[in-house]
Every structure is written in structure tokens, then in C-alpha cells.
Amino acid sequence: MRRDPAVSIFKALGVPLRLVVFQRVARRPSAAGELAKELPIGRAAVVQHLTILKNLGLVDASTEGHKRIYRVTPDGLSPLVQWLARYGRR
């Protein structure tokens, strides 16, 4: 049986600090170092959270100078929206 992509997204965003990282990037595209200054974790941990979000298609990154700037992917939450629509109609 194939896992619904929404399940992976729910699981990823269920980690409190990862959810905060996602929310900060949703508010304003940011580099990992900028996020680390705002959070109680180091840059390496922020990068790990961002990598998981990127692998799920929730954020993407572009290089600007020496920094990688992370942004929310416009359609990244589509699996959640579809999941909610499917179960919300019952």
C-alpha cells in the first residue's frame, strides 16, 4: 500500500521546531543562518529541518550570493488541502 503524501507532511509538520521553521519561511524567505539566529537551535539543525521540508516539496531554495534562500513552494501544501477536502466532505 502506497503512503498518502499528506501523511508525510502531517508527520513532518508535527515536529514543533520544524513547524516553526516552516512558519518563519512562509512569512519571509530566509537563509538558514538567519533562521538559526531567531531559534534556540544551531544552523546545522535548521538546515536538517529545511532539508526535510525541501524533500517533501514544502520549500525550495535558490542561491543568492553566498546564501541559500529558502521559500515556501506555492503548491507544497496541495496534498494536505486535497486530504482535508476528501475527508471534510464526509
Side-chain angles (χ1 to χ4, degrees), residues 5 19 40 59 67 71-72 81 87:
L19 178 59
V59 300
K67 296 180 181 179
R71 327 182 138 63
V72 168
V81 172
Y87 292 102

Side-chain angles (χ1 to χ4, degrees), residues 49-60:
H49 287 299
L50 288 166
T51 299
I52 290 167
L53 295 171
K54 189 171 189 265
N55 290 341
L56 289 170
L58 296 173
V59 300
D60 61 8

Side-chain angles (χ1 to χ4, degrees), residues 4-55:
D4 187 330
V7 173
S8 297
I9 294 171
F10 277 122
K11 186 175 178 181
L13 295 178
V15 175
L17 269 172
R18 191 172 303 132
L19 178 59
V20 170
V21 169
F22 178 78
Q23 290 170 324
R24 300 274 170 102
V25 172
R27 254 189 262 138
R28 179 179 44 87
S30 304
E34 295 170 56
L35 293 167
K37 289 177 186 175
E38 302 170 2
L39 299 169
I41 57 176
R43 185 185 173 286
V46 170
V47 169
Q48 288 177 338
H49 287 299
L50 288 166
T51 299
I52 290 167
L53 295 171
K54 189 171 189 265
N55 290 341

